Amino acid sequence: MADTFIEKATAEHIDADERASEDVNLNSNVEAKIKNPLAGLSKSLLLAQVEDFAKEKNMVDKVDLLKKGALVAQNPSEFETIEGLSDDERSALLREVTHKWHQPTTLYFTVILCSIGAAVQGWDQTGSNGANLSFPVAFGIPDSKYLDDAKTIPNPDYEKNLWLVGVINAAPYIASAFLGCWLSDPLNNWFGRRGTIFFSAIFCLLPVIGSAVAQTWQELFVTRLLLGIGMGSKASTIPIYAAENVPALIRGGLVMSWQMWTAFGIFLGFCANLAVYNTGDIAWRLQLGSAFIPAVPLVVGIYFCPESPRWLMKKGRYSEAFKSLCRLRNTPLQAARDLYYVHAQLLVEADIIGKSNYVTRFIELFTIPRVRRATLASFVVMLAQQMCGINIMAFYSSTIFSLAGGTNLTSLLASFGFGLVNFVFAFPAIWTIDTFGRRNLLLFTFPQMAWTLLAGGFCFYIPESSRAHLGMIAFFIFLFAAFYSPGEGPVPFTYSAEVFPLTHREVGMAWAVATCLGWAAVLSITFPRMLAVMTPTGAFGFYAALNVTALVMIFLWVPETKQRTLEELDYVFAVPTRKHMHYQVTKALPYFVKRWVLRQKNATLEPLYHFDEHVAGATVAPAVTLRGNSKVSEDEK
């Protein structure tokens, strides 16, 4: 299906004098300006453009509403001075700021449905955690050094079995990284966001049932590969779907529900592992198969959700996009405002990106400067989620607690505690992700994860005969999860879903999720062997060092995105990477040392980004930090 919007948008040319007084180069925004594309247009010209838009998109019956919406979008902070707005419309626009969580039921239903999809993801991850204690023996691949309880008969296949268990656990992530994620681009193109989620849900429903009845490890491996197709396409689509439907002021808080409910799914998986602990030889089958439960409401519920307005606009279906926005916003005026504002920004995107197919879109992730910066930032936050070590707990916590001297039951109970902490401490991010911001949450939590992992590793030196041995190990693992959940937990999927332009959103998210799940596969494969060779203390120390490395990468390469519309982020990611790095090293870091180390309360930080007064939300949220010198060397451009 041709991208109707892209074909028409690239054919349209708006004269430079008819745009704002000063254009911003969206491939090299060296002045770091965040600009409203409607700012600077005269009222008569703007209304004339809206009339042409209404005729072109067959929305003439909505032209008066679209005109009012365009005037509000042009100068959102001055809506009270706009003529023609009713008292109810003014009240709704004010309430949007003062009561930002007051949103339509349909919007919350959509977010809840996306949350169920996330719970499926988490439950799928932890089914194998408890099953690791019994399925290897059931298939004749014990991963202990001895074949008897007396530890007198060596296991000749010990090394091979360690790798085999890791590969079986990693199967969904291998399939996700190499197939499932990349299917999301064509699936979204053909079937839309809702259709892709339905496709993914089917692959998260049937394969888990198949894994429960597998008779050989090869059959188990294949069913888990099929599960990965659903996991990859779902994880690449649901955060995008949520991000495109949610208003900018609360986008982080609602889109981060992906991770919060993934954590809830992990917790439910641990609950299921514990619930079927005493079912004998079929315990591991029930632990793997129980993940079908949340997939059922996902298959059914997606039918009742509206399609993404931005996807409909991409396809040139503006009337349908308006109807969808009317279901997702409190008033038709707000729907009309968002429709026209997004349209204006998409025209700007089309000017710099144009039309492309699947292959060229992937190549352009690394060749178009604005897109390349988003690619780098999403790569960093997704890679950091694996570098921090959270999934060595999600995949192997039962094994770790068993190595710490716990019985099977004790290990499952401790894993249950880990899952509970991981879920409960995800809640603060609902409020902090749009106030403190994505970047600040990461910069605060990564040092905490590093020292808690290191402390947990050293606790293995406590004599195993001491009651403190297992208790202290569990304590620091729980503390590690408490720091992870409001920081690196919710940020990667929220961040990656919002940083790419609409033209590259599907393939960009596929890249990000493939990065995350691909490295999750590497972690799953290598960790059993790492435990055997490096001991738990060495493995924990290794991941503590990776936390520090990830902190440096985030500091240098990850810009802030809070409270900006998806289209305004084009300007954020137009700032050259070297300019962003130079600012962090020469401005932000010295400020941090002066203010928080030397306690100099008069220390000030120059902002990097200049917010145009007409940008949506500019007067609502504090101008997010960061501005550097206006002079930039040629190599920075």
Side-chain angles (χ1 to χ4, degrees):
M1 184 184 295
D3 287 355
T4 308
F5 162 73
I6 297 299
E7 292 175 351
K8 290 186 178 181
T10 52
E12 295 182 23
H13 179 71
I14 302 175
D15 188 85
D17 294 335
E18 296 179 348
R19 288 187 181 169
S21 58
E22 183 183 357
D23 283 339
V24 172
N25 183 344
L26 290 188
N27 277 324
S28 185
N29 183 10
V30 294
E31 296 297 329
K33 290 187 176 180
I34 312 299
K35 193 168 182 60
N36 183 334
L38 302 178
L41 296 179
S42 66
K43 180 177 179 180
S44 59
L45 178 58
L46 176 61
L47 296 182
Q49 289 184 354
V50 173
E51 289 183 358
D52 292 339
F53 167 80
K55 292 176 183 178
E56 180 187 350
K57 307 303 180 186
N58 297 317
M59 298 180 68
V60 178
D61 59 323
K62 301 289 190 305
V63 66
D64 291 336
L65 187 61
L66 288 168
K67 285 181 178 179
K68 289 193 291 185
L71 289 172
V72 173
Q74 184 183 43
N75 198 351
S77 62
E78 301 295 330
F79 65 86
E80 292 186 352
T81 65
I82 298 174
E83 298 179 1
L85 297 186
S86 68
D87 290 340
D88 288 343
E89 288 172 334
R90 296 181 200 276
S91 176
L93 291 172
L94 178 61
R95 189 173 179 82
E96 182 179 48
V97 176
T98 59
H99 297 75
K100 64 181 181 179
W101 294 100
H102 177 72
Q103 299 294 337
T105 302
T106 300
L107 178 66
Y108 281 113
F109 177 81
T110 300
V111 172
I112 290 170
L113 198 281
C114 293
S115 301
I116 292 173
V120 175
Q121 197 87 356
W123 203 325
D124 287 334
Q125 287 182 18
T126 50
S128 62
N129 189 304
N132 282 333
L133 298 176
S134 53
F135 91 79
V137 177
F139 288 141
I141 49 173
D143 55 357
S144 62
K145 292 183 178 181
Y146 300 93
L147 295 176
D148 62 334
D149 294 336
K151 298 184 178 181
T152 58
I153 305 175
N155 180 1
D157 296 323
Y158 170 63
E159 300 286 346
K160 182 181 72 175
N161 289 349
L162 284 176
W163 291 110
L164 185 56
V165 170
V167 168
I168 293 173
N169 284 327
Y173 308 101
I174 295 171
S176 293
F178 290 99
L179 183 59
C181 293
W182 303 108
L183 282 176
S184 65
D185 190 6
L187 286 172
N188 273 278
N189 185 51
W190 297 332
F191 305 117
R193 310 288 189 241
R194 293 166 67 237
T196 303
I197 293 171
F198 177 80
F199 168 89
S200 304
I202 294 296
F203 272 85
C204 289
L205 174 63
L206 300 180
V208 293
I209 297 175
S211 66
V213 297
Q215 299 301 307
T216 65
W217 72 260
Q218 291 90 343
E219 291 178 4
L220 179 60
F221 179 71
V222 170
T223 58
R224 289 179 63 76
L225 285 175
L226 293 174
L227 171 62
I229 294 175
M231 289 176 61
S233 56
K234 175 162 58 64
S236 301
T237 302
I238 286 182
I240 289 176
Y241 179 60
E244 291 181 341
N245 288 346
V246 175
L249 284 177
I250 58 172
R251 187 179 64 243
L254 291 184
V255 178
M256 66 74 54
S257 65
W258 168 265
Q259 177 58 33
M260 186 177 74
W261 295 107
T262 297
F264 182 62
I266 291 173
F267 170 65
L268 290 179
F270 284 130
C271 290
N273 289 342
L274 198 55
V276 300
Y277 163 72
N278 278 326
T279 54
D281 293 340
I282 65 168
W284 68 268
R285 296 184 183 277
L286 296 176
Q287 289 164 341
L288 290 173
S290 61
F292 89 93
I293 296 172
V296 174
L298 182 62
V299 170
V300 176
I302 192 61
Y303 175 80
F304 300 98
C305 293
E307 183 53 271
S308 162
R310 284 175 169 87
W311 183 85
L312 292 168
M313 292 171 70
K314 179 180 178 180
K315 296 299 181 181
R317 294 155 59 178
Y318 275 74
S319 295
E320 295 176 58
F322 178 72
K323 292 178 182 177
S324 183
L325 275 169
C326 284
R327 296 180 63 188
L328 296 166
R329 299 295 182 265
N330 286 311
T331 65
L333 174 64
Q334 291 165 307
R337 175 202 61 191
D338 291 355
L339 183 80
Y340 195 75
Y341 185 71
V342 171
H343 167 73
Q345 286 283 16
L346 293 179
L347 291 177
V348 177
E349 282 186 7
D351 283 345
I352 64 167
I353 294 175
K355 186 177 184 298
S356 56
N357 57 33
Y358 301 136
V359 176
T360 56
R361 274 201 294 275
F362 175 76
I363 295 173
E364 286 167 354
L365 290 178
F366 310 97
T367 57
I368 296 176
R370 179 264 179 265
V371 183
R372 184 174 64 240
R373 296 178 193 114
T375 302
L376 173 63
S378 65
F379 172 81
V380 169
V381 295
M382 284 297 197
L383 180 61
Q385 192 171 76
Q386 304 309 318
M387 294 172 70
C388 77
I390 187 63
N391 279 334
I392 66 176
M393 309 303 174
F395 300 162
Y396 293 106
S397 63
S398 298
T399 304
I400 291 170
F401 291 127
S402 179
L403 289 174
T407 64
N408 281 3
L409 178 59
T410 304
S411 299
L412 290 173
L413 284 170
S415 294
F416 168 84
F418 164 76
L420 181 61
V421 171
N422 188 33
F423 172 57
V424 169
F425 280 85
F427 276 92
I430 295 177
W431 297 276
T432 58
I433 196 169
D434 283 316
T435 52
F436 294 156
R438 288 74 159 144
R439 175 183 167 86
N440 288 335
L441 283 176
L442 297 181
L443 294 179
F444 170 74
T445 54
F446 264 89
Q448 320 310 323
M449 290 189 289
W451 75 260
T452 51
L453 266 186
L454 198 60
F458 281 123
C459 284
F460 277 89
Y461 287 124
I462 298 174
E464 195 167 327
S465 58
S466 170
R467 295 179 61 183
H469 178 77
L470 179 58
M472 291 303 295
I473 292 171
F475 171 76
F476 282 111
I477 288 177
F478 293 172
L479 198 57
F480 165 80
F483 284 119
Y484 165 84
S485 293
E488 180 60 11
V491 169
F493 282 87
T494 302
Y495 192 88
S496 300
E498 61 192 10
V499 297
F500 292 98
L502 180 61
T503 49
H504 291 67
R505 195 160 291 152
E506 296 93 340
V507 70
M509 191 62 180
W511 156 263
V513 177
T515 298
C516 180
L517 299 184
W519 284 100
V522 172
L523 184 151
S524 181
I525 292 171
T526 58
F527 194 67
R529 177 64 177 159
M530 185 180 292
L531 281 175
V533 174
M534 299 176 64
T535 73
T537 301
F540 277 37
F542 174 79
Y543 278 98
L546 289 185
N547 272 275
V548 176
T549 304
L551 174 69
V552 175
M553 294 166 63
I554 290 164
F555 180 75
L556 294 176
W557 296 328
V558 176
E560 183 57 80
T561 61
K562 71 171 183 177
Q563 295 186 347
R564 304 268 59 86
T565 71
L566 295 180
E567 288 69 37
E568 287 166 2
L569 293 180
D570 287 331
Y571 299 94
V572 172
F573 286 95
V575 176
T577 301
R578 289 196 179 189
K579 179 180 178 65
H580 185 268
M581 293 171 60
H582 181 265
Y583 171 81
Q584 301 306 325
V585 173
T586 62
K587 303 287 185 181
L589 184 59
Y591 166 78
F592 176 84
V593 173
K594 291 177 183 177
R595 179 65 183 85
W596 302 109
V597 179
L598 302 180
R599 312 298 293 179
Q600 297 178 7
K601 294 184 178 181
N602 61 344
T604 58
L605 177 64
E606 296 179 55
L608 170 59
Y609 302 123
H610 302 267
F611 287 89
D612 183 274
E613 63 179 336
H614 303 293
V615 168
T619 61
V620 176
V624 215
T625 62
L626 318 175
R627 156 181 143 178
N629 298 323
S630 57
K631 293 183 180 180
V632 181
S633 62
E634 287 302 314
D635 62 342
E636 290 179 8
K637 300 179 182 179

